[in-house]
Amino acid sequence: MSGLDDVIAAETRLSDVDGANGRLVICGRTLDDLAGRTSFEDILALLLGEAIGLDAGAIRSRLAAARQRAFAEIAHIDAGILALSITEGLRALMARLTDGESADTALLLAAAPAVFVPALIRRKAGEAVIAPDLKRGQAADMLFMLTGAEPLPAAISGLDTYLVTVSDHGLNASTFAARVVASTRAGYTSAVLAALGALKGPLHGGAPGPVLDMLDAIATPANAATWITAELDRGERLMGFGHRIYRVRDPRADALKGALNRLGEAGGMDADRLALAEAIERDALVALRAAKPDRVLDTNVEYFTALLLEALGFPRDAFTGVFAAGRVGGWLAHAHEQVANGRLIRPRSRYVGLRPQIAPVERFEAARP
Ligand code: ACO
């Protein structure tokens, strides 16, 4: 009840999370079929193309133009925004965008995190920002705006795999927040901002950074089992494990592990780091099975997200922002679906607080002179 665990709060054609069988379906296609074979533009076309009347080709060129519009906003990065975390800086820049429910608004919102996150990273590091390029796809452009170097094909494919893998995932907390706000007809920008606020929390999108903190603390495969046991004995949670819906392995973890292995084969990933991550995962699963025998706690999306985004050159405080760059596709599609549905989301609560002791009529009598 308190977490609305089994409540069906929306009907959607966008994605289905089959927690019992570890399967994710996005617009009729399995994640296994999509991850590693499609780009961010393709998934945006699947999720939103019909709603905004554009196919993948048109989305590619309109999205590139939208990245240029978003880049004009970079001029507003000031000392106040630079003092914030990357996620909060992203939230501040997104909040400047005009609200609305048009295709142009949707495309600007879909493009903006891919522009704002690299710009914030570079400005916080004291480096000049790099402008987007109309010729590139969104993943390649995001990597170029981050480093200024032409990315490896395996890196572009790795980021596309990530953005597609996290693009939509049923009625997760941020998507639900987006739908609630969209249902008030506040506009897509407000819906995306609400979603971004929800995503920031460590129990949702804020976990991949702490996954790397765990890797750093463990440092070598030989330390893994002891460190993990001590952590669980202290009642701590292991970041990157467990999920509210999946009762088997999160299929997104395997999609990202595949991208990571391909990046490793292309020379874009440190082999020792990958070996450490695999050892920690193995020991963590054994320890979690022993500590919580009644609860299936397996690897979730955040575990391999951390390693993949690190290998692609994103600093760990930017991981939530990169997550937003993928999930924004789902937020917008859900916002559109909710608007099309036309019904304000307004659940009820059960009052369990104190009740007034005096009946209204008695209070009236008592107040008389
Ligand atoms: N490590 C250790 N114990 C855990 C973990 C974990 N990662 N996850 C759950 N547990 C334990 C809880 O302590 C609890 O034990 P108890 O019953 O003895 O108190 C039991 O498993 C059930 O936990 P709940 O909080 O009821 O499970 P819930 O479904 O609400 O949690 C969640 C899901 C929040 C993801 C949780 O597994 C967690 O905190 N994981 C670590 C953080 C993380 O990886 N977040 C990213 C999630 S993926 C995403 O949102 C994109």
Side-chain angles (χ1 to χ4, degrees):
M1 167 69 178
S2 63
L4 303 182
D5 294 31
D6 295 317
V7 174
I8 307 276
E11 287 194 341
T12 181
R13 293 175 183 279
L14 300 169
S15 65
D16 182 39
V17 182
D18 180 350
N21 296 303
R23 209 166 55 167
L24 169 61
V25 170
I26 301 178
C27 296
R29 293 175 64 181
T30 64
L31 180 64
D32 291 349
D33 177 29
L34 293 166
R37 298 180 193 178
T38 48
S39 65
F40 179 71
E41 284 82 351
D42 294 328
I43 203 75
L44 207 56
L46 260 184
L47 287 165
L48 204 61
E50 205 179 309
I52 60 178
L54 298 173
D55 62 17
I59 283 184
R60 188 182 157 100
S61 55
R62 294 275 296 273
L63 199 60
R67 284 198 298 281
Q68 292 194 319
R69 279 195 286 146
F71 190 69
E73 294 289 321
I74 293 305
H76 299 292
I77 299 181
D78 58 14
I81 289 184
L82 287 176
L84 300 172
S85 68
I86 304 259
T87 314
E88 289 166 344
L90 173 63
R91 195 184 56 193
L93 289 172
M94 299 290 286
R96 292 185 46 86
L97 305 179
T98 310
D99 232 326
E101 294 174 349
S102 68
D104 268 351
T105 303
L107 287 166
L108 181 58
L109 289 162
V115 176
F116 293 164
V117 171
L120 286 164
I121 294 169
R122 291 188 68 88
R123 285 291 311 276
K124 279 169 90 77
E127 293 166 351
V129 293
I130 297 169
D133 184 335
L134 281 175
K135 292 190 299 295
R136 293 193 176 89
Q138 180 126 320
D141 214 13
M142 191 173 182
L143 290 172
F144 186 77
M145 285 185 276
L146 176 69
T147 64
E150 214 49 68
L152 285 173
I156 300 170
S157 154
L159 184 55
D160 262 326
T161 302
Y162 173 72
L163 297 173
V164 166
T165 297
V166 302
S167 62
D168 201 37
H169 201 243
L171 213 54
N172 58 88
S174 59
T175 300
F176 185 48
R179 285 192 83 120
V180 170
V181 173
S183 83
T184 71
R185 305 301 303 269
Y188 292 162
T189 305
S190 296
V192 165
L193 277 173
L196 196 53
L199 189 74
K200 177 170 168 278
L203 300 190
H204 187 4
V211 167
L212 292 184
D213 297 341
M214 175 172 72
L215 261 74
D216 290 348
I218 294 176
T220 71
N223 291 341
T226 316
W227 189 94
I228 288 165
T229 307
E231 200 73 355
L232 290 177
D233 286 349
R234 273 209 310 277
E236 297 292 338
R237 292 183 177 211
L238 299 180
M239 290 295 138
F241 296 89
H243 199 273
R244 177 66 64 86
I245 308 279
Y246 290 117
R247 289 295 165 255
V248 291
R249 198 174 162 83
D250 183 338
R252 299 169 302 170
D254 287 329
L256 298 183
K257 195 174 183 179
L260 205 55
N261 287 332
R262 288 192 292 279
L263 195 58
E265 284 157 19
M269 167 80 202
D270 178 52
D272 287 347
R273 193 76 168 150
L274 194 53
L276 174 64
E278 282 173 346
I280 294 174
E281 186 192 19
R282 211 172 34 242
D283 289 343
L285 293 178
V286 171
L288 284 169
R289 235 164 266 143
K292 308 276 172 200
D294 303 334
R295 172 99 185 179
V296 180
L297 294 170
D298 213 318
T299 318
N300 68 39
V301 65
E302 303 287 20
Y303 192 74
F304 287 106
T305 290
L307 288 143
L308 181 60
L309 297 189
E310 180 187 57
L312 291 174
F314 290 100
R316 56 190 75 177
D317 61 340
F319 289 179
T320 307
V322 186
F323 190 169
R327 183 56 61 85
V328 71
W331 293 337
L332 289 164
H334 278 271
H336 172 82
E337 195 177 57
Q338 187 61 44
V339 167
N341 163 292
R343 185 91 181 142
L344 174 72
I345 297 178
R346 202 311 186 184
R348 294 178 59 188
S349 51
R350 182 182 302 121
Y351 179 69
V352 295
L354 292 174
R355 299 269 173 204
Q357 296 300 311
I358 308 168
V361 58
E362 288 165 9
R363 208 182 313 132
F364 176 74
E365 292 296 331
R368 278 189 168 172

